[in-house]
Amino acid sequence: MSENYFLSRKSCRNFKDEKISEKEIENIVTQASKAPTCGNMQLYSVIVTEDKDKKKALANYHFNQPAAVTAPIILTICADFNRFNRWCKINEADAGYDNFHSFIVSMTDAIIFAQQLMTIAELQGYGTCYLGTVNYNAKEISELLKLPELVIPVASLAIGLPAIKGEETHRLPIKGILHKEFYVELTDSEIKEIFKIHDENPDNKKFLEETGKDNLAQVFAEIRYPKDLNEKVSESFYNLLKEKGF
Amino acid sequence: MSENYFLSRKSCRNFKDEKISEKEIENIVTQASKAPTCGNMQLYSVIVTEDKDKKKALANYHFNQPAAVTAPIILTICADFNRFNRWCKINEADAGYDNFHSFIVSMTDAIIFAQQLMTIAELQGYGTCYLGTVNYNAKEISELLKLPELVIPVASLAIGLPAIKGEETHRLPIKGILHKEFYVELTDSEIKEIFKIHDENPDNKKFLEETGKDNLAQVFAEIRYPKDLNEKVSESFYNLLKEKGF
């Protein structure tokens, strides 16, 4: 079963208009909290957004993508050194988590937790979708969710019962991602070869027509994830880290 | 089965001296590559360290912790914008991934992939352990594994057949990590209450005797993860990001 699930899993972008009970969320979170964590510090938190108005506001910060709009719940998983830091202060320990490394450690913890939560939810029949837009409006999301010092949103998961099955995922041949003993850069022709799976995908070809670009790489680099946007988000996200005390 | 596994999973820190075949690693990586990824860019790579001398050198960068020393294989999972960037350049796309946001996106992809890989391996009967030390000597690890531009090690997994079963994991009550609609900071007494599970754990009490500290929080903040070390690693890791072009 497990092999089958992992090989065939798909993200879900359209959900039924059905609630998930508090108890079910707590059950999933309890299981996910057994995921590995640095030094057993559990440097993460999860905020459940279910209230209609709040979810509308949050979906808006995720550019109203269908997964965010249709999901009954959005979970925002945060890198969180606040709780641990406070425990240290209460115990008069000389805590020093106001730095970049502590953010990286807590972000790692948070993503591990998020992914475990996703797998547990999907194995229970829920559909899920990461909202990759979480970094774009991280400051606005932080305000909406009232995130305090040393808490940064790093993953958003739309979750619910699937209305429409997700599309099959095409991935690069593992030759492209697996290296033995040390990293060997692929040749140009090997790169071209492994990316054929995307270049030749009819779903991707429609992007060329829509955008007038010559090839899929240009669609990614110049339209979907353009340099100026990446630089703008770099600055706002880095500023948020500083503002929140990392 | 799945519920049982997730609730009872444990990290493994002592492995049998038995190899994992190349085919098994490829099978696990293939399944893990179906994990969610930002825009289907698969911004990660994994380097398998199995060669005895290389593993010895790598274990040394992980402070020779038992998991690193005894595991037949260490997997180093990297945030990797190199491959995608090269595909863009080959296609004369104006790529702009030389920034902080692109690192965060690729790190997210890499940790999601690492965690999926961990779960798949454990469900197949392997033991695994994250080596949280990956950031400490990230520069040295990068040199050992010959990581190129836009590739940063972000997760290390020791993997193999378990020799000794891992210890049961105690986690905070989910009251501490789950927030509804917005983040509510716990009171001091609530913080004390939820951390009791660690304060009162006999395994942790031995740390007080060993270190002469008054309480567990001081052991964490002043000995295990002290401010000066966090700041040193912050600087070296940030410098590595710059050096590698992020």
Side-chain angles (χ1 to χ4, degrees):
Chain A
M1 187 207 74
S2 60
E3 171 158 337
N4 236 339
Y5 158 70
F6 289 106
L7 269 180
S8 63
R9 72 153 299 284
K10 303 171 177 70
S11 295
C12 171
R13 290 180 173 81
N14 284 279
F15 298 92
K16 286 187 186 165
D17 187 17
E18 280 181 42
K19 290 197 172 193
I20 307 177
S21 74
E22 211 165 294
K23 207 178 148 187
E24 283 167 294
I25 290 291
E26 287 177 0
N27 172 33
I28 292 169
V29 169
T30 302
Q31 290 184 55
S33 75
K34 296 286 187 168
T37 155
C38 180
N40 205 2
M41 292 188 282
Q42 294 186 262
L43 304 169
Y44 54 80
S45 280
V46 52
I47 293 101
V48 183
T49 301
E50 188 179 8
D51 173 81
K52 228 176 169 176
D53 289 339
K54 289 209 179 63
K55 209 186 73 61
K56 204 174 169 181
L58 186 55
N60 190 42
Y61 291 139
H62 289 291
F63 307 101
N64 290 314
Q65 52 185 295
V69 172
T70 63
I73 281 179
I74 297 173
L75 301 178
T76 305
I77 294 104
C78 303
D80 183 346
F81 238 120
N82 179 294
R83 184 178 57 238
F84 198 83
N85 186 51
R86 285 194 50 219
W87 177 63
C88 289
K89 303 251 156 145
I90 289 166
N91 283 284
E92 294 178 1
D94 186 19
Y97 310 122
D98 53 347
N99 47 64
F100 184 58
H101 173 59
S102 297
F103 167 67
I104 291 293
V105 171
S106 54
M107 174 174 163
T108 304
D109 255 29
I111 304 289
I112 286 173
F113 170 78
Q115 180 55 17
Q116 199 76 338
L117 192 157
M118 186 217 83
T119 300
I120 291 162
E122 290 190 352
L123 280 166
Q124 289 186 16
Y126 292 106
T128 75
C129 186
Y130 279 99
L131 309 172
T133 40
V134 63
N135 309 123
Y136 287 67
N137 289 312
K139 188 183 165 72
E140 290 76 9
I141 292 170
S142 297
E143 282 165 11
L144 181 72
L145 304 179
K146 303 188 184 176
L147 305 183
E149 194 187 36
L150 300 181
V151 180
I152 304 283
V154 294
S156 295
L157 272 172
I159 176 167
L161 290 169
I164 302 172
K165 273 205 171 178
E167 303 274 316
E168 202 193 332
T169 48
H170 297 277
R171 295 287 193 258
L172 301 176
I174 61 163
K175 182 194 169 169
I177 57 173
L178 182 60
H179 300 265
K180 287 167 191 162
E181 303 302 345
F182 49 82
Y183 196 106
V184 179
E185 287 195 76
L186 301 175
T187 64
D188 282 6
S189 63
E190 284 169 331
I191 294 263
K192 277 185 198 167
E193 185 62 31
I194 65 164
F195 276 93
K196 260 189 184 164
I197 195 163
H198 297 316
D199 286 321
E200 294 176 355
N201 181 346
D203 288 342
N204 289 334
K205 284 189 178 166
K206 70 167 192 262
F207 291 129
L208 302 192
E209 289 159 29
E210 286 169 15
T211 60
K213 292 290 177 187
D214 291 338
N215 56 54
L216 189 64
Q218 290 177 5
V219 174
F220 271 92
E222 297 168 15
I223 297 186
R224 293 188 66 181
Y225 307 104
K227 187 178 173 71
D228 57 350
L229 179 62
N230 291 341
E231 286 173 355
K232 203 182 126 202
V233 179
S234 294
E235 198 185 335
S236 64
F237 193 73
Y238 190 81
N239 288 343
L240 182 67
L241 295 188
K242 293 291 157 203
E243 188 188 312
K244 292 295 184 185
F246 279 116
Chain B
M1 186 208 70
S2 60
E3 174 161 333
N4 237 338
Y5 158 69
F6 289 106
L7 270 180
S8 64
R9 70 152 302 283
K10 302 171 177 71
S11 295
C12 171
R13 291 180 173 82
N14 284 279
F15 298 92
K16 286 186 187 165
D17 187 17
E18 279 180 43
K19 291 198 171 193
I20 307 177
S21 74
E22 211 165 295
K23 206 178 150 189
E24 282 167 295
I25 290 292
E26 287 177 1
N27 171 33
I28 292 168
V29 169
T30 301
Q31 289 185 56
S33 75
K34 295 286 187 167
T37 156
C38 180
N40 205 1
M41 292 188 282
Q42 293 186 262
L43 304 169
Y44 53 80
S45 281
V46 52
I47 293 100
V48 183
T49 301
E50 188 179 8
D51 173 82
K52 228 175 170 177
D53 289 339
K54 289 208 179 63
K55 209 185 73 63
K56 202 172 171 184
L58 186 55
N60 189 43
Y61 291 139
H62 289 290
F63 306 101
N64 291 314
Q65 52 186 294
V69 172
T70 62
I73 281 178
I74 298 172
L75 301 178
T76 304
I77 294 105
C78 303
D80 183 346
F81 239 121
N82 178 294
R83 183 177 58 237
F84 198 83
N85 187 51
R86 286 195 49 219
W87 177 62
C88 289
K89 301 254 157 141
I90 289 168
N91 284 284
E92 293 177 2
D94 186 18
Y97 310 123
D98 52 346
N99 46 66
F100 184 57
H101 173 59
S102 297
F103 167 67
I104 291 293
V105 171
S106 53
M107 175 174 162
T108 304
D109 255 29
I111 304 288
I112 287 173
F113 170 77
Q115 181 55 18
Q116 199 75 339
L117 192 157
M118 187 218 82
T119 300
I120 292 162
E122 289 190 353
L123 280 166
Q124 289 187 13
Y126 292 106
T128 75
C129 186
Y130 279 100
L131 309 172
T133 39
V134 63
N135 309 125
Y136 288 66
N137 290 312
K139 188 184 165 71
E140 290 76 10
I141 292 171
S142 297
E143 282 164 12
L144 182 72
L145 304 179
K146 303 188 184 179
L147 305 184
E149 195 187 34
L150 300 181
V151 180
I152 304 283
V154 293
S156 295
L157 272 173
I159 178 168
L161 290 170
I164 302 172
K165 272 204 171 179
E167 302 275 314
E168 203 193 331
T169 48
H170 298 277
R171 296 286 193 257
L172 301 176
I174 61 163
K175 182 191 168 173
I177 57 173
L178 181 60
H179 301 265
K180 287 167 190 164
E181 302 302 346
F182 47 82
Y183 196 106
V184 179
E185 287 195 75
L186 301 176
T187 64
D188 283 5
S189 64
E190 284 170 331
I191 295 263
K192 277 186 200 168
E193 185 63 31
I194 65 164
F195 277 93
K196 260 190 185 164
I197 195 163
H198 298 316
D199 286 320
E200 294 176 355
N201 181 344
D203 288 341
N204 289 334
K205 284 189 179 166
K206 70 166 193 262
F207 291 128
L208 301 191
E209 289 160 30
E210 285 170 15
T211 61
K213 291 288 175 189
D214 290 340
N215 57 54
L216 189 64
Q218 290 177 4
V219 174
F220 271 93
E222 297 168 14
I223 298 188
R224 290 188 68 182
Y225 306 103
K227 188 178 172 72
D228 57 349
L229 179 62
N230 291 341
E231 287 174 353
K232 204 182 124 198
V233 179
S234 295
E235 198 186 336
S236 64
F237 193 73
Y238 190 81
N239 288 344
L240 182 66
L241 294 188
K242 293 292 158 204
E243 188 188 312
K244 292 295 185 186
F246 279 116

